[in-house]
Amino acid sequence: MTPAEKYIEKIKRKKVAFVGMGVANTPCAEFLARHGIDVWACDRRDRDYIGAEICDKLESLGVKFSLGENYLDILPEMDIVFRSHGILPFQNEWIGQCIKRGQTVTTEMEVFFEYCPAKIFAITGSNGKTTTTTLIAKMLEAEGNRVFLGGNIGKALMPELDNITAKDIAVVELSSFQLLTMGNLVKKPDVAVVTNIECTHQDHHISLDEYVDAKRNILIYQDSSARTVLNADCDYSIGGTVYHDMRFDVRGVLSQFSIKHAVSRGAYMDTADGNIYYADENGKTFVMNRSDIVIPGDHNIENYCTAISAVWGYVSTDTIKKIAQTFGGVEHRIEFVREYKGVKYYNDSIATSPSRVISGLKAFGTRIIVLMGGSDKGNDMSEMVPYILKYVKLLVLNGATADKIYDAVINHPQFDGQTEIVRCATMGEALMIAKDKAQPGDIVSLCPACPAFDQFKTFEYRGREFKKLVNEFED
């Protein structure tokens, strides 16, 4: 019996509702419907917003819809309710009501973890997790493994229970929203990676403690056969204090990574010559030099050290080096778009926090033109201002946070007027201003510091619109 068949057998003759028809729930609703389960798709949005093609396909499989203002009215009739990962329990009282009625409230990722027969590499953190997840998957794949990549990276994995076997490897990116209710998993990650922790998503979590506690769920139920990978350069303390460091919760074998100093177990870069090594009880092994990594920025060297620490023993050094020399980066992460009239354009739409902006600005090592602004998720913008003043020659602000960022910059004690600042309404307008002012040799980067929700559905939509506009430039 396949993993999928085991799960279907458990829930047959149950009524199942998916609340929030996004990138995870939509394919999962289709998956269960194909297996004959009675499925309902629930969303406050209408068919036009979800997409007529998607709705038509689901309906053809027998999925029923509950849309619009009263989309939750059918929940009391359900046996199992899948929440979208972005729907958080403490913000939605209907979840508590479902639990009180004795209904099962779950997510596709919880089901996948319970039934996945393969080894699981699980990656979380405030920054760098998508690039690190992608690197781990590429390294394992290049070594000859069949890899199933998904999770917060934009692909549902529950439908893969039809195909995945014990010989395969699942590489899973996990957000704090996914991990929040994943504390009592039957199957734990064989390799758990926490890239770093910073103060973010405070517009969604009750507190920083809750955010860090969610991240801790990736590792606190591991056992001694598992591997845990942590950042030796990061403070993993809850609330920024020393009374509870995440390292106290490690149950598996601890590997650490660093781009600042040597570690006793894990990957690190020697700052003197840029050589990257893996160290363990047998000594250190040379892997490659930082110059072998084609994607720019110190943060990407850190991502490679993270990935090396995760795959060590599964992947050869030759494979690691080959990936470093050929991998051009993940979409929306300092992604090169085009050179137009001697100006290079980069899409860094994923840079939705000040720390990501800092990494994005430092990556180029010169003063550039930056498009910044979007919706407000409560971040303190002041920490990135010194880097704006050092690395930005023209700052084009747009969207809901334009004034907030403007005030943070001009009121900073180091502001000397050398960085030109222009404000406008939209990202499209900001791009046209940058295009008109750019000179041959300049770099223009979409590096927003904010989520996209004031103008776009997600940062991906923003990044793709940016690329579309840049590629439409005509001589």
mmCIF file of all heavy atoms in Angstrom, residues 164-200:
data_model
loop_
_atom_site.group_PDB
_atom_site.id
_atom_site.type_symbol
_atom_site.label_atom_id
_atom_site.label_comp_id
_atom_site.label_asym_id
_atom_site.label_seq_id
_atom_site.Cartn_x
_atom_site.Cartn_y
_atom_site.Cartn_z
ATOM 1 N N ILE A 164 6.265 9.045 -4.062
ATOM 2 C CA ILE A 164 7.502 9.037 -3.285
ATOM 3 C C ILE A 164 7.721 7.686 -2.607
ATOM 4 O O ILE A 164 6.771 7.038 -2.165
ATOM 5 C CB ILE A 164 7.504 10.193 -2.269
ATOM 6 C CG1 ILE A 164 8.912 10.463 -1.748
ATOM 7 C CG2 ILE A 164 6.520 9.942 -1.128
ATOM 8 C CD1 ILE A 164 9.047 11.798 -1.040
ATOM 9 N N THR A 165 8.982 7.257 -2.535
ATOM 10 C CA THR A 165 9.327 5.970 -1.925
ATOM 11 C C THR A 165 10.405 6.175 -0.859
ATOM 12 O O THR A 165 10.991 7.259 -0.730
ATOM 13 C CB THR A 165 9.857 4.981 -2.972
ATOM 14 O OG1 THR A 165 11.180 5.397 -3.381
ATOM 15 C CG2 THR A 165 8.945 4.914 -4.189
ATOM 16 N N ALA A 166 10.710 5.098 -0.159
ATOM 17 C CA ALA A 166 11.719 5.157 0.900
ATOM 18 C C ALA A 166 13.118 5.409 0.352
ATOM 19 O O ALA A 166 14.011 5.836 1.096
ATOM 20 C CB ALA A 166 11.699 3.864 1.704
ATOM 21 N N LYS A 167 13.324 5.162 -0.938
ATOM 22 C CA LYS A 167 14.640 5.381 -1.541
ATOM 23 C C LYS A 167 14.865 6.837 -1.934
ATOM 24 O O LYS A 167 15.983 7.224 -2.274
ATOM 25 C CB LYS A 167 14.797 4.501 -2.785
ATOM 26 C CG LYS A 167 14.794 3.006 -2.484
ATOM 27 C CD LYS A 167 14.949 2.207 -3.771
ATOM 28 C CE LYS A 167 14.946 0.710 -3.483
ATOM 29 N NZ LYS A 167 15.086 -0.084 -4.738
ATOM 30 N N ASP A 168 13.807 7.646 -1.928
ATOM 31 C CA ASP A 168 13.886 9.035 -2.378
ATOM 32 C C ASP A 168 14.274 9.965 -1.227
ATOM 33 O O ASP A 168 14.425 9.532 -0.078
ATOM 34 C CB ASP A 168 12.544 9.466 -2.966
ATOM 35 C CG ASP A 168 12.105 8.574 -4.110
ATOM 36 O OD1 ASP A 168 12.977 8.166 -4.895
ATOM 37 O OD2 ASP A 168 10.901 8.277 -4.214
ATOM 38 N N ILE A 169 14.432 11.237 -1.547
ATOM 39 C CA ILE A 169 14.707 12.259 -0.535
ATOM 40 C C ILE A 169 13.752 13.427 -0.752
ATOM 41 O O ILE A 169 13.583 13.902 -1.880
ATOM 42 C CB ILE A 169 16.165 12.766 -0.606
ATOM 43 C CG1 ILE A 169 17.141 11.622 -0.348
ATOM 44 C CG2 ILE A 169 16.390 13.898 0.396
ATOM 45 C CD1 ILE A 169 18.615 12.027 -0.471
ATOM 46 N N ALA A 170 13.125 13.872 0.328
ATOM 47 C CA ALA A 170 12.280 15.066 0.279
ATOM 48 C C ALA A 170 13.058 16.238 0.857
ATOM 49 O O ALA A 170 13.640 16.135 1.944
ATOM 50 C CB ALA A 170 10.991 14.855 1.076
ATOM 51 N N VAL A 171 13.096 17.333 0.115
ATOM 52 C CA VAL A 171 13.747 18.559 0.587
ATOM 53 C C VAL A 171 12.652 19.609 0.733
ATOM 54 O O VAL A 171 12.015 19.980 -0.255
ATOM 55 C CB VAL A 171 14.842 19.026 -0.389
ATOM 56 C CG1 VAL A 171 15.497 20.306 0.122
ATOM 57 C CG2 VAL A 171 15.889 17.925 -0.574
ATOM 58 N N VAL A 172 12.443 20.063 1.957
ATOM 59 C CA VAL A 172 11.240 20.828 2.286
ATOM 60 C C VAL A 172 11.603 22.152 2.939
ATOM 61 O O VAL A 172 12.279 22.183 3.970
ATOM 62 C CB VAL A 172 10.326 20.032 3.243
ATOM 63 C CG1 VAL A 172 9.006 20.763 3.441
ATOM 64 C CG2 VAL A 172 10.095 18.615 2.733
ATOM 65 N N GLU A 173 11.164 23.239 2.328
ATOM 66 C CA GLU A 173 11.278 24.548 2.973
ATOM 67 C C GLU A 173 10.049 24.777 3.833
ATOM 68 O O GLU A 173 8.916 24.583 3.386
ATOM 69 C CB GLU A 173 11.393 25.668 1.939
ATOM 70 C CG GLU A 173 11.474 27.056 2.579
ATOM 71 C CD GLU A 173 11.449 28.183 1.564
ATOM 72 O OE1 GLU A 173 11.982 28.008 0.458
ATOM 73 O OE2 GLU A 173 10.886 29.245 1.890
ATOM 74 N N LEU A 174 10.265 25.221 5.076
ATOM 75 C CA LEU A 174 9.163 25.415 6.016
ATOM 76 C C LEU A 174 9.171 26.831 6.580
ATOM 77 O O LEU A 174 10.188 27.306 7.088
ATOM 78 C CB LEU A 174 9.266 24.407 7.167
ATOM 79 C CG LEU A 174 9.091 22.932 6.790
ATOM 80 C CD1 LEU A 174 9.450 22.039 7.955
ATOM 81 C CD2 LEU A 174 7.665 22.660 6.322
ATOM 82 N N SER A 175 8.033 27.496 6.501
ATOM 83 C CA SER A 175 7.881 28.824 7.099
ATOM 84 C C SER A 175 7.437 28.689 8.546
ATOM 85 O O SER A 175 7.010 27.614 9.000
ATOM 86 C CB SER A 175 6.830 29.626 6.318
ATOM 87 O OG SER A 175 5.540 29.084 6.552
ATOM 88 N N SER A 176 7.504 29.789 9.285
ATOM 89 C CA SER A 176 7.013 29.775 10.670
ATOM 90 C C SER A 176 5.521 29.480 10.708
ATOM 91 O O SER A 176 5.015 28.855 11.641
ATOM 92 C CB SER A 176 7.297 31.120 11.338
ATOM 93 O OG SER A 176 6.656 32.184 10.645
ATOM 94 N N PHE A 177 4.782 29.905 9.673
ATOM 95 C CA PHE A 177 3.341 29.661 9.620
ATOM 96 C C PHE A 177 3.061 28.165 9.480
ATOM 97 O O PHE A 177 2.105 27.649 10.065
ATOM 98 C CB PHE A 177 2.713 30.406 8.442
ATOM 99 C CG PHE A 177 2.974 31.893 8.449
ATOM 100 C CD1 PHE A 177 3.055 32.592 7.262
ATOM 101 C CD2 PHE A 177 3.155 32.585 9.633
ATOM 102 C CE1 PHE A 177 3.297 33.963 7.255
ATOM 103 C CE2 PHE A 177 3.408 33.951 9.644
ATOM 104 C CZ PHE A 177 3.473 34.641 8.453
ATOM 105 N N GLN A 178 3.862 27.473 8.703
ATOM 106 C CA GLN A 178 3.693 26.027 8.561
ATOM 107 C C GLN A 178 4.107 25.301 9.831
ATOM 108 O O GLN A 178 3.442 24.356 10.275
ATOM 109 C CB GLN A 178 4.522 25.524 7.377
ATOM 110 C CG GLN A 178 3.988 25.968 6.027
ATOM 111 C CD GLN A 178 4.977 25.716 4.902
ATOM 112 O OE1 GLN A 178 6.146 26.069 5.004
ATOM 113 N NE2 GLN A 178 4.509 25.107 3.827
ATOM 114 N N LEU A 179 5.206 25.747 10.441
ATOM 115 C CA LEU A 179 5.750 25.056 11.611
ATOM 116 C C LEU A 179 4.937 25.285 12.875
ATOM 117 O O LEU A 179 5.040 24.513 13.827
ATOM 118 C CB LEU A 179 7.190 25.514 11.850
ATOM 119 C CG LEU A 179 8.236 24.931 10.910
ATOM 120 C CD1 LEU A 179 9.528 25.728 10.991
ATOM 121 C CD2 LEU A 179 8.490 23.469 11.234
ATOM 122 N N LEU A 180 4.118 26.319 12.887
ATOM 123 C CA LEU A 180 3.411 26.718 14.106
ATOM 124 C C LEU A 180 2.618 25.570 14.707
ATOM 125 O O LEU A 180 2.548 25.421 15.938
ATOM 126 C CB LEU A 180 2.483 27.898 13.794
ATOM 127 C CG LEU A 180 1.912 28.666 14.982
ATOM 128 C CD1 LEU A 180 3.021 29.272 15.824
ATOM 129 C CD2 LEU A 180 0.963 29.758 14.500
ATOM 130 N N THR A 181 2.009 24.726 13.871
ATOM 131 C CA THR A 181 1.181 23.624 14.361
ATOM 132 C C THR A 181 1.805 22.269 14.056
ATOM 133 O O THR A 181 1.107 21.255 14.026
ATOM 134 C CB THR A 181 -0.226 23.704 13.740
ATOM 135 O OG1 THR A 181 -0.114 23.752 12.311
ATOM 136 C CG2 THR A 181 -0.968 24.926 14.221
ATOM 137 N N MET A 182 3.107 22.233 13.841
ATOM 138 C CA MET A 182 3.784 20.983 13.495
ATOM 139 C C MET A 182 4.639 20.462 14.642
ATOM 140 O O MET A 182 5.684 19.848 14.441
ATOM 141 C CB MET A 182 4.642 21.175 12.235
ATOM 142 C CG MET A 182 3.828 21.391 10.978
ATOM 143 S SD MET A 182 4.840 21.711 9.498
ATOM 144 C CE MET A 182 5.661 20.121 9.279
ATOM 145 N N GLY A 183 4.178 20.645 15.856
ATOM 146 C CA GLY A 183 4.987 20.285 17.013
ATOM 147 C C GLY A 183 4.993 18.808 17.362
ATOM 148 O O GLY A 183 5.910 18.321 18.005
ATOM 149 N N ASN A 184 3.968 18.070 16.972
ATOM 150 C CA ASN A 184 3.870 16.669 17.380
ATOM 151 C C ASN A 184 3.823 15.748 16.164
ATOM 152 O O ASN A 184 2.896 14.959 15.983
ATOM 153 C CB ASN A 184 2.621 16.462 18.249
ATOM 154 C CG ASN A 184 2.746 17.186 19.569
ATOM 155 O OD1 ASN A 184 3.640 16.903 20.352
ATOM 156 N ND2 ASN A 184 1.850 18.118 19.824
ATOM 157 N N LEU A 185 4.832 15.861 15.338
ATOM 158 C CA LEU A 185 4.868 15.077 14.115
ATOM 159 C C LEU A 185 5.286 13.637 14.398
ATOM 160 O O LEU A 185 6.108 13.365 15.264
ATOM 161 C CB LEU A 185 5.853 15.701 13.134
ATOM 162 C CG LEU A 185 5.515 17.118 12.655
ATOM 163 C CD1 LEU A 185 6.662 17.662 11.821
ATOM 164 C CD2 LEU A 185 4.226 17.115 11.851
ATOM 165 N N VAL A 186 4.692 12.720 13.621
ATOM 166 C CA VAL A 186 5.067 11.320 13.729
ATOM 167 C C VAL A 186 6.463 11.114 13.142
ATOM 168 O O VAL A 186 7.303 10.438 13.722
ATOM 169 C CB VAL A 186 4.041 10.436 12.997
ATOM 170 C CG1 VAL A 186 4.504 8.986 12.977
ATOM 171 C CG2 VAL A 186 2.667 10.549 13.664
ATOM 172 N N LYS A 187 6.716 11.726 11.984
ATOM 173 C CA LYS A 187 8.028 11.618 11.335
ATOM 174 C C LYS A 187 8.766 12.935 11.483
ATOM 175 O O LYS A 187 8.229 13.994 11.166
ATOM 176 C CB LYS A 187 7.869 11.271 9.849
ATOM 177 C CG LYS A 187 9.208 11.112 9.127
ATOM 178 C CD LYS A 187 9.014 10.672 7.698
ATOM 179 C CE LYS A 187 10.334 10.592 6.942
ATOM 180 N NZ LYS A 187 11.254 9.603 7.513
ATOM 181 N N LYS A 188 9.977 12.870 11.990
ATOM 182 C CA LYS A 188 10.776 14.064 12.207
ATOM 183 C C LYS A 188 11.787 14.218 11.071
ATOM 184 O O LYS A 188 12.149 13.247 10.413
ATOM 185 C CB LYS A 188 11.512 13.978 13.549
ATOM 186 C CG LYS A 188 10.646 13.497 14.702
ATOM 187 C CD LYS A 188 9.386 14.342 14.875
ATOM 188 C CE LYS A 188 8.594 13.941 16.098
ATOM 189 N NZ LYS A 188 8.047 12.573 16.052
ATOM 190 N N PRO A 189 12.301 15.427 10.857
ATOM 191 C CA PRO A 189 13.316 15.606 9.805
ATOM 192 C C PRO A 189 14.580 14.803 10.101
ATOM 193 O O PRO A 189 15.061 14.796 11.243
ATOM 194 C CB PRO A 189 13.607 17.111 9.846
ATOM 195 C CG PRO A 189 12.429 17.723 10.532
ATOM 196 C CD PRO A 189 11.939 16.694 11.498
ATOM 197 N N ASP A 190 15.102 14.148 9.092
ATOM 198 C CA ASP A 190 16.396 13.475 9.239
ATOM 199 C C ASP A 190 17.512 14.510 9.325
ATOM 200 O O ASP A 190 18.503 14.308 10.023
ATOM 201 C CB ASP A 190 16.631 12.546 8.049
ATOM 202 C CG ASP A 190 15.604 11.431 8.004
ATOM 203 O OD1 ASP A 190 15.805 10.419 8.680
ATOM 204 O OD2 ASP A 190 14.580 11.595 7.309
ATOM 205 N N VAL A 191 17.341 15.610 8.585
ATOM 206 C CA VAL A 191 18.257 16.750 8.670
ATOM 207 C C VAL A 191 17.406 18.004 8.834
ATOM 208 O O VAL A 191 16.539 18.285 7.999
ATOM 209 C CB VAL A 191 19.143 16.875 7.415
ATOM 210 C CG1 VAL A 191 20.058 18.096 7.524
ATOM 211 C CG2 VAL A 191 19.962 15.603 7.201
ATOM 212 N N ALA A 192 17.610 18.742 9.915
ATOM 213 C CA ALA A 192 16.870 19.984 10.172
ATOM 214 C C ALA A 192 17.836 21.151 10.131
ATOM 215 O O ALA A 192 18.884 21.133 10.784
ATOM 216 C CB ALA A 192 16.172 19.929 11.533
ATOM 217 N N VAL A 193 17.480 22.183 9.355
ATOM 218 C CA VAL A 193 18.338 23.352 9.178
ATOM 219 C C VAL A 193 17.575 24.597 9.612
ATOM 220 O O VAL A 193 16.446 24.823 9.172
ATOM 221 C CB VAL A 193 18.758 23.510 7.700
ATOM 222 C CG1 VAL A 193 19.605 24.764 7.516
ATOM 223 C CG2 VAL A 193 19.497 22.280 7.211
ATOM 224 N N VAL A 194 18.180 25.400 10.477
ATOM 225 C CA VAL A 194 17.644 26.720 10.818
ATOM 226 C C VAL A 194 18.696 27.742 10.406
ATOM 227 O O VAL A 194 19.717 27.898 11.065
ATOM 228 C CB VAL A 194 17.311 26.851 12.322
ATOM 229 C CG1 VAL A 194 16.597 28.173 12.583
ATOM 230 C CG2 VAL A 194 16.457 25.685 12.794
ATOM 231 N N THR A 195 18.449 28.429 9.304
ATOM 232 C CA THR A 195 19.479 29.303 8.725
ATOM 233 C C THR A 195 19.844 30.456 9.651
ATOM 234 O O THR A 195 21.009 30.819 9.772
ATOM 235 C CB THR A 195 19.000 29.876 7.384
ATOM 236 O OG1 THR A 195 17.800 30.639 7.590
ATOM 237 C CG2 THR A 195 18.749 28.761 6.381
ATOM 238 N N ASN A 196 18.860 31.060 10.298
ATOM 239 C CA ASN A 196 19.059 32.214 11.181
ATOM 240 C C ASN A 196 17.716 32.588 11.786
ATOM 241 O O ASN A 196 16.673 32.069 11.385
ATOM 242 C CB ASN A 196 19.642 33.416 10.412
ATOM 243 C CG ASN A 196 18.887 33.680 9.127
ATOM 244 O OD1 ASN A 196 17.669 33.885 9.127
ATOM 245 N ND2 ASN A 196 19.585 33.663 8.003
ATOM 246 N N ILE A 197 17.743 33.485 12.745
ATOM 247 C CA ILE A 197 16.527 34.023 13.353
ATOM 248 C C ILE A 197 16.682 35.534 13.472
ATOM 249 O O ILE A 197 17.704 36.022 13.952
ATOM 250 C CB ILE A 197 16.270 33.441 14.761
ATOM 251 C CG1 ILE A 197 15.937 31.949 14.673
ATOM 252 C CG2 ILE A 197 15.153 34.189 15.467
ATOM 253 C CD1 ILE A 197 14.579 31.630 14.091
ATOM 254 N N GLU A 198 15.673 36.270 13.017
ATOM 255 C CA GLU A 198 15.651 37.712 13.244
ATOM 256 C C GLU A 198 14.219 38.131 13.536
ATOM 257 O O GLU A 198 13.280 37.344 13.372
ATOM 258 C CB GLU A 198 16.179 38.473 12.028
ATOM 259 C CG GLU A 198 15.264 38.408 10.820
ATOM 260 C CD GLU A 198 15.672 39.416 9.752
ATOM 261 O OE1 GLU A 198 16.869 39.660 9.588
ATOM 262 O OE2 GLU A 198 14.777 39.953 9.086
ATOM 263 N N CYS A 199 14.060 39.361 13.970
ATOM 264 C CA CYS A 199 12.732 39.875 14.304
ATOM 265 C C CYS A 199 11.986 40.199 13.015
ATOM 266 O O CYS A 199 12.251 41.213 12.371
ATOM 267 C CB CYS A 199 12.848 41.126 15.179
ATOM 268 S SG CYS A 199 11.253 41.787 15.713
ATOM 269 N N THR A 200 11.048 39.341 12.627
ATOM 270 C CA THR A 200 10.267 39.557 11.413
ATOM 271 C C THR A 200 8.898 38.928 11.581
ATOM 272 O O THR A 200 8.632 38.214 12.548
ATOM 273 C CB THR A 200 10.997 38.972 10.177
ATOM 274 O OG1 THR A 200 10.291 39.368 8.995
ATOM 275 C CG2 THR A 200 11.067 37.457 10.241
#
